[in-house]
């Protein structure tokens, strides 16, 4: 039984692929209108996948350091052989569980949420393709396969953001998301190529499949042996950059906010719970490699903590509910990054796990809210607790979880603070704590703006969410509430930091500090936002800062300036260069010939006298030439 | 298995179509042309079946005892190795699809069109299967006039200018090849006392046996000739014009097959005849390749014409081939050859799609298009698939080529400077994504312009062509070994020369 | 030196010329006493005579080397080859000239006779081996040609071009005679093999005088073959002459001129260098002139200048192992491709009355077979495969390259010039196939086109294609003759 689960684990990722193909096939027949079959196929795939992953979890819990790989050759050239396969170990099983469970909830939700969309089937095809890619990504045994599915999840995200492609904003957002992710892909591929090239012989001699995760440690040593530390650092930096783009870290976070143009379930699944976590997952996977570059590690930590802080600041000033959540996602991913950067492997993944559930929960609730009031701007909401109390309750649970008010987020964040303190990174710790405070404030702010205070909208009747929407939310509430308590301790042994484990001191003071921060945060939020946004503070500096923060610190504007004013201009000049100079040289020769031709035709004037003159003159010229040449020759002979 | 029959069958068909035997009825001409196309393709499949990939030399050797196309110590000799076999198959495949695609694109002078079409096919097949330098050159030149006629008669826009530019530019390049051929034979004859045009025999000479300056001249003669065809910056300016003004099927051929002749020449002649020079110049070639990738990508950004954009992307992608060849490892060269096939398929598809859009909207200006995905969902899905293939998205054929080229080039024993430069070249993958996706967004997504309310989706034959290309693109992306296995042995043999 | 004369043998050797001469006499007799309607008889007999002459030359023993009439004539391999070229091309030109002559409606018979006279002069020139016989036969050829060019005496332009040709020709003859006088002054003999003997034995090859003489003699060759510096008359004369005479001028006198060149090549050590320079100039000038030309006949004139340049460059390599084969190969292919092109021009001009390249617009869709034949001949002239012209050019280039490092500049020039060639020859193809149909041409083309011309065009294009596919067969034929033989005693 155990063997059966493990050896056939590839089926987890192939189930969604098959259901996508089946839906496409049926749709292609043009007789297929049944939405039930589509959603059933999709849900079945996720559910079975979840069930299967549970079975794998069982195996992993039974056997310590469980590790299983299956390989299929992908391409062989010369000495190079690349293969695809599936790696089952604790980390991948954890990710499998997260992805399948969150997707199951989100798909269930989408079944109702998207029911009236004309492109229902297309949506589910994309969703299934995404699941396939994501599951294959987390099960990748080697860097190459990881890259392959890394890009494919990017493509699926592109497709899903641009799902409503008729809206120009959605089209733009999708393109932007893909392009920025492309920078990360570039970095990733460059690093893979460099890593593979510099450690090529290591793989050959050690007889480990090329680029396999299991031997990254040795590969790192081999790279260090063949090149300079600078090159090694650059390779590491490539991985960092890749992770930063996928996980929306500063300064490449700008795509995530725009990605909210996609349907809300997509935001919940891809842009909150799973795909954006791939960056963290990547760092976790190549951890043995990066560990040899302390500079890269500290870069990760600092990027992470800065993201966590800055995104939290921006989130405070956001009025669009989904955008606020997007900034919050970025910020939370920053927490994971900072943990990874200082070696808190387990803490980061723990936060990843809890975050997946509560952020999905928040997004689904936000979707329900949007569904019922038909807009996303929180300024025009308020008092909704009375009309949709269920959603309000669930949202509050989500808020508590993410803010660390004793629900799951508390435990995972606590783990991060511990590791920061443990490694004596007090600067990072301070910023992280500050971000945590800001998290409380902006999350409660959103809750107050949506559900409390006075209603500012124009709608008379609200769309009450049906059970099709409530039930998946309920599914996510459970892990958001209980996960922290239940798996806090077992998690530390389940996901072990692969390298030297930092010894955990006893930091009661940290515990107390977090609690104090929570209290401060809650109080502040109450004061500032309970009755809608307080616009009373009219200090111009704050107003200016608000505008500054609302625009996301002008990162977007800056990039737009770079691209439009600089890059596109350069390309235009390049085109002119090509057209007039490179091609001009070609046409110039043609012109030269034509001019010469005209010159010669000028002499063809029909005048016999000039003809004879030319003839005789030509003859004389030849004579002169030859007699001169002849005399020179004779002179040489004579000398 | 007669290679000569394969090469000359299209010529015979062409004569048949042009002859009075063929009634002047478009439908009959088109159908019989398709029938011939299928025949040729089926016949070339047989070669794949009988091919022995483990053997690195020429196979299916055939030479004529008759004084047929042979004089001046050259012989009419044919042979295939792994690389040429792949390209022959690609040629026949793309030609067949272009034939099918001709239905909507060509609606006058059918006899002329199809006879020129088949002459072109003979020329390309001959180039890929000739085992004799002079024979190779005959076919190389034979390609010019049919292409000239196809562009200038059936094209659009400044077709006469573009066709003439194509003709003269390519002819200019081929003069270098001719000069190099004659010089090579001359120096070979001085060394060995035998005047021969046989490729195998000429390749058997180790480099640096000829006078140094002569080797340099010959190497660059060949190189310039093939660089024009490939094309390599700054010899590329014929390509955008020719591609843009050619009719859709001909653009498919130009980008899908004819550019590959340049790369084939580089492998077959520059590399086989002067391996040491190739080795010596590898940095230069890689730099040229990187420049090609980036320069063309930059210019593609500034394009407002959809077809021109695709044309510049072709140039950009041929840069990858140069990089792969320049790095001189089995991995990168396999990547380069793989790129030939991958680019052949995908560029044919992209030009087909541009043609499809143009046929319906009567414009290729990106600014004039918008939102047509709403009216052409199937076409837009295909377009997305092929755009993603060009970007090098994994599990599609473009990725394999890109990966192999860069992985191979990085693992070669080049200097650090070149490797950094390679990474700069890899930057092209972002640029490519940039211009393609922005163009895709503008053309297919967003609000539908009211003037395009009437347009309709793909017709059956367009669907067939795109379907074939899509299937092969995905197939080679998922199972690259099927293709790599064919030419790996040949490339291995070539690399052993160094 | 032959000091006895075997009249029977000598006459037998010049049997083709004798036949032609007799035919001319008979024709003149017929013209004098018969009516105009009988011109068809003259036509047939002329054709017959030329056919017999060609036949005799083609099938005569190749290894002949016979000196006759006290060394005035010498029949050897290369003379035989030129004789074949001349007879065949005259035969072709005669066949296509029927239609042209119908336009003027009179004196047809004289035309044929004069053409035979020109052929006769050319044949004697080719075989001449004495300065006197060279001069006489050259003048014989020239005088017949004046007549032919000015044949349409009612047309001012025809007469004018005849006069131009006449004046230039006289000038050139004088210059040549001047050159001859030097040779005679040095050697006191007019027999060419003796002159050569003396020049070599007494080291006269090295003197400036010799160079002087050779360049003077070269003037006549340059004039006949219309190469630099005596190329300028070509366009005017071709324009003014009847179409078929223009075709004739581009073939028969050219071959005769090249034969003359071959005879005088060994007379100076500078000859090869002279040809080197002149051929570079000629090819470039011809090509450059042709690029902008829109008049069909003038265009053909410039094209023949360039082609003559190519042939001339082939002679450069004659001293090496590859001897005359490339030049002869080129000339043989040139005969057919040029004649074919002129056929098409003749058909077009005589059918429509238009004479501009632009008027060719859409001709391929008015008259597909003729256009196709024309296209084949043009491609061959441009040197594109699969035609004989391609192989000719390739053979030429190869032999130039193989001739040695000195010639590599010429090699490059020839290579580069082929681009120009491709440009302007394809221009006509473009007019025929690409441009929309010229409505005026259709309206004008009331006259039925000559089937004979089409037939010749067909034969020419088939030969061009045949030589493209089977160049070795053509080369084998040419190689039999490609050997220069001097009897140096």
């Amino acid at each position: 039984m155990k063997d059966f689960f493990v050896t056939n684990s590839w089926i987890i990722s192939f189930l969604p692929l098959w259901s996508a193909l089946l839906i496409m096939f049926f749709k292609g027949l043009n007789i297929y209108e049944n939405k039930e079959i589509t959603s059933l196929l999709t849900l079945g795939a996720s559910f079975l996948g979840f069930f299967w992953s549970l079975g794998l979890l069982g195996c992993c819990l039974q056997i310590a350091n469980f590790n299983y790989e299956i390989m299929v050759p992908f391409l062989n050239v010369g000495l190079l052989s690349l293969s695809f396969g599936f790696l089952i170990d604790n980390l991948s099983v954890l990710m499998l569980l997260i992805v399948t469970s969150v997707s199951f909830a989100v798909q269930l939700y989408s079944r109702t949420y998207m029911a009236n969309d004309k492109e229902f089937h297309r949506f589910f095809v994309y969703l299934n393709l995404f699941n396939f890619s994501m599951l294959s990504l987390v099960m990748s045994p080697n860097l190459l396969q990881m890259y392959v599915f890394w890009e494919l999840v990017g493509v699926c995200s592109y497709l899903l953001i641009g799902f409503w492609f008729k809206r120009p904003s959605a089209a733009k957002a999708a393109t932007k998301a893909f392009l920025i992710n492309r920078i990360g892909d570039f970095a990733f591929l460059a690093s893979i190529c460099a890593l593979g090239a510099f450690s090529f012989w290591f793989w050959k001699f050690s007889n480990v499949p090329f680029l396999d995760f299991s031997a990254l440690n040795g590969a790192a040593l081999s790279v260090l042996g063949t090149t300079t530390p600078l090159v090694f650092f650059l390779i590491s930096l490539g991985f960092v950059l890749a992770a930063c783009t996928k996980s929306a870290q500063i300064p490449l976070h700008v795509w995530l906010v725009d990605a909210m143009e996609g349907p809300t379930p997509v935001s919940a699944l891809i842009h909150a719970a799973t795909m954006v976590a791939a960056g963290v997952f990547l760092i976790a996977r190549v951890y043995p490699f990066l560990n040899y570059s302390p500079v890269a590690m500290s870069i990760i930590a600092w990027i992470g903590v800065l993201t966590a802080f800055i995104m939290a600041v921006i989130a405070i000033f956001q009025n669009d509910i989904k955008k606020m959540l997007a900034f919050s996602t970025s910020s939370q991913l920053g927490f994971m990054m900072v943990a990874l950067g200082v070696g808190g492997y387990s803490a980061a993944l723990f936060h990843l796990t809890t975050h997946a559930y509560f952020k999905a929960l928040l997004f689904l609730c936000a979707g329900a809210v949007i569904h019922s009031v038909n807009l996303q701007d929180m300024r025009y909401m308020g008092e909704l607790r009375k009309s949709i109390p269920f959603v309000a309750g669930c949202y509050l649970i989500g808020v508590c979880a993410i803010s660390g008010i004793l629900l799951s987020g508390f435990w995972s964040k606590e783990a991060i603070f511990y590791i920061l303190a443990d490694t004596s990174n007090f600067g990072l710790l301070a910023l992280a704590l500050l971000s945590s405070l800001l998290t409380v404030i902006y999350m409660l702010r959103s809750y107050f703006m949506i559900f409390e205070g006075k209603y500012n909208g124009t709608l008379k009747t609200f769309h009450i969410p049906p059970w099709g929407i409530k039930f998946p939310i309920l599914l996510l509430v459970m892990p958001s509430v209980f996960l922290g308590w239940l798996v806090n301790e077992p998690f530390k042994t389940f996901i072990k930091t692969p390298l030297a484990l930092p010894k955990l001191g006893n930091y009661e003071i940290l515990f107390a500090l977090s609690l104090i921060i929570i209290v401060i945060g809650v109080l502040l939020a109450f004061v500032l936002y309970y009755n809608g946004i307080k616009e009373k503070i009219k200090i111009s500096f704050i107003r200016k800062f608000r505008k500054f923060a609302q625009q996301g610190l002008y990162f977007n504007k800056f990039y737009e300036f770079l691209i439009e004013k600089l890059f596109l201009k350069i390309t235009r000049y390049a085109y002119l260069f090509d057209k007039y100079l490179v091609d001009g040289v070609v046409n110039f020769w043609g012109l030269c010939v034509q001019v010469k031709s005209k010159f010669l035709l000028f002499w063809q004037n029909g005048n016999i006298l000039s003809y004879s003159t030319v003839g005789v003159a030509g003859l004389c010229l030849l004579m002169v030439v030859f007699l001169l040449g002849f005399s020179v020759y004779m002179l040489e002979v004579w000398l | 298995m007669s290679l000569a029959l394969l090469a000359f069958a299209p010529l015979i068909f062409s004569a048949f179509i042009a002859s009075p035997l063929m009634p002047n009825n478009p439908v009959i001409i088109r159908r019989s042309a398709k029938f011939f196309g299928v025949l040729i393709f089926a016949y070339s499949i047989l070669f794949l079946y009988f091919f022995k990939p483990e053997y690195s030399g020429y196979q299916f050797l055939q030479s004529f005892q008759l004084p047929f196309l042979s004089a001046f110590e050259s012989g009419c000799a044919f042979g295939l190795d792994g690389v040429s076999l792949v390209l022959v198959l690609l040629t026949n495949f793309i030609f067949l699809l272009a034939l099918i695609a001709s239905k909507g694109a060509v609606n006058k002078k059918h006899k002329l069109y199809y006879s020129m079409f088949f002459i072109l096919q003979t020329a390309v097949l001959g180039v890929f299967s000739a085992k004799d330098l002079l024979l190779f050159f005959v076919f190389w030149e034979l390609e010019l006039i049919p292409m000239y006629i196809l562009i200038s008669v059936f094209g659009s826009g400044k077709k006469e200018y573009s066709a003439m530019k194509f003709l003269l530019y390519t002819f200019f390049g081929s003069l270098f090849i001719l000069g190099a051929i004659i010089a090579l034979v001359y120096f070979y004859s001085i060394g060995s006392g035998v005047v021969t045009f046989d490729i195998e025999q000429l390749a058997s000479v180790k480099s640096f046996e000829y006078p140094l300056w002569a080797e340099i001249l010959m190497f660059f003669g060949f190189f310039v000739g093939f660089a024009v065809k490939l094309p390599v910056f700054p010899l590329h300016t014929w390509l955008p014009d020719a591609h843009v003004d050619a009719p859709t099927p001909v653009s498919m051929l130009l980008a899908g097959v004819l550019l590959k002749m340049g790369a084939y020449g580089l492998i077959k002649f520059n590399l086989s005849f002067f391996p040491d020079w190739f080795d010596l110049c590898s940095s230069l070639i890689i730099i040229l390749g990187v420049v090609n990738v980036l320069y063309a990508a930059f210019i593609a950004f500034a394009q407002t014409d959809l077809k021109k954009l695709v044309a510049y992307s072709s140039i950009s992608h041929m840069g990858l081939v140069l990089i792969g060849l320049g790095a001189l490892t089995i991995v990168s060269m396999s990547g380069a050859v793989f790129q030939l096939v991958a680019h052949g398929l995908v560029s044919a598809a992209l030009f087909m799609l541009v043609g499809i859009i143009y046929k319906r909207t009567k414009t290729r200006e990106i600014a004039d298009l918008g939102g047509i995905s709403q009216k052409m969902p199937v076409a837009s899905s295909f377009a997305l698939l092929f755009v993603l293939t060009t970007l090098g998205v994994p599990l599609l054929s473009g990725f394999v080529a890109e990966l192999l080229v860069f992985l191979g080039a990085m693992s070669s024993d080049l200097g650090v400077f070149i490797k950094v430069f390679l990474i700069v070249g890899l930057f092209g993958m972002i640029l490519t994504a940039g211009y393609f996706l922005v163009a895709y967004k503008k053309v297919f997504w967003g609000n539908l312009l009211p003037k395009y309310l009437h347009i309709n989706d793909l017709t059956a034959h367009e669907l067939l062509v795109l379907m074939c290309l899509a299937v092969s693109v995905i197939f080679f992306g998922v199972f690259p070994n099927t293709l790599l296995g064919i030419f790996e042995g040949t490339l291995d043999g070539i690399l052993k020369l160094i | 030196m032959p000091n006895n004369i075997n009249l029977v043998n000598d006459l037998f050797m010049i049997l083709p010329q004798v036949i032609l001469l007799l035919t001319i006499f008979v024709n003149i007799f017929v013209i004098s006493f018969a009516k105009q309607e009988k011109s068809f008889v003259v036509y047939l007999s002329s054709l017959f005579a030329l056919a017999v002459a060609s036949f005799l030359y083609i099938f005569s023993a190749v290894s002949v080397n016979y000196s006759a009439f006290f060394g005035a004539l010498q029949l050897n391999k290369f003379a035989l080859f030129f004789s074949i070229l001349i007879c065949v091309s005259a035969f072709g030109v005669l066949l296509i000239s029927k239609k042209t002559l119908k336009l003027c409606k009179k004196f047809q018979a004289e035309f044929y006779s004069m053409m035979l006279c020109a052929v006769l002069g050319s044949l004697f020139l080719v075989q001449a081996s004495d300065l006197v016989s060279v001069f006489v036969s050259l003048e014989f050829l020239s005088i017949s040609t004046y007549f032919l060019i000015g044949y349409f005496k009612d047309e001012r332009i025809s007469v004018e071009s005849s006069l131009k040709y006449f004046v230039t020709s006289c000038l050139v003859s004088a210059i040549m005679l001047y050159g001859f006088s030097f040779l005679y002054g040095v050697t006191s003999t007019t027999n060419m093999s003796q002159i050569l003997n003396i020049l070599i034995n007494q080291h006269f090859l090295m003197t400036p005088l010799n160079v002087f003489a050779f360049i003077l003699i070269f003037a006549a060759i340059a004039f006949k073959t219309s190469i630099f510096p005596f190329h300028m008359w070509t366009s005017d004369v071709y324009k003014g002459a009847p179409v078929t005479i223009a075709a004739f001028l581009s073939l028969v006198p050219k071959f005769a001129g090249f034969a003359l060149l071959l005879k005088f090549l060994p007379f100076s050590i500078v000859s090869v260098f002279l040809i080197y320079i002149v051929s570079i100039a000629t090819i470039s000038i011809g090509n450059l002139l042709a690029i902008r030309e829109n008049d069909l006949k003038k265009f053909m004139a410039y094209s023949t200048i360039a082609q003559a340049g190519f042939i001339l460059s082939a002679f450069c390599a004659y001293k090496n192992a590859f001897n005359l084969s490339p030049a002869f190969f080129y000339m043989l292919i040139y005969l057919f491709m040029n004649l074919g092109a002129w056929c098409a021009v003749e058909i077009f001009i005589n059918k429509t009355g238009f004479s501009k390249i632009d008027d060719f617009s859409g001709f391929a869709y008015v008259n597909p077979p003729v256009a196709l034949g024309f296209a084949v001949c043009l491609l061959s002239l441009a040197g594109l495969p699969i035609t004989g012209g391609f192989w000719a050019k390739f053979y030429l280039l190869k032999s130039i390259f193989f001739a040695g490092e000195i010639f590599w500049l010429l090699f490059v020039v020839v290579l580069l010039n082929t681009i120009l060639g491709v440009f302007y020859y394809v221009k006509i193809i473009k007019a025929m196939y690409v441009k929309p149909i010229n409505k005026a041409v259709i309206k004008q083309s009331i006259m039925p086109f000559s089937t004979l011309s089409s037939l010749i065009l067909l034969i020419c294009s088939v030969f061009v294609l045949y030589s493209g596919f089977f160049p070795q067969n053509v080369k084998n034929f040419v190689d039999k003759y490609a050997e220069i033989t001097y009897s140096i005693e």
Side-chain angles (χ1 to χ4, degrees), chain C residues 446-482:
Chain C
I446 15 160
M447 288 169 278
F449 62 85
S450 157
T451 41
L452 262 181
S453 294
S454 307
L455 185 70
I456 300 291
L457 178 56
L458 177 72
I459 291 170
C460 286
S461 44
V462 164
F463 178 82
V464 163
L465 283 178
Y466 170 81
S467 57
F469 279 103
F470 298 96
Q472 189 64 49
N473 291 355
V474 179
K475 184 169 176 273
N476 288 342
F477 174 77
V478 164
D479 278 346
K480 285 191 293 190
Y481 300 99

Side-chain angles (χ1 to χ4, degrees), chain B residues 158-179:
Chain B
K158 291 196 300 175
K159 55 185 183 175
E160 289 170 24
Y161 166 78
S162 304
M164 191 52 99
K165 194 169 182 178
F166 162 82
L167 179 71
L168 293 183
Y169 217 134
T170 319
F171 191 77
F172 170 75
S174 63
L175 290 182
F176 281 86
I177 300 172
L178 179 60

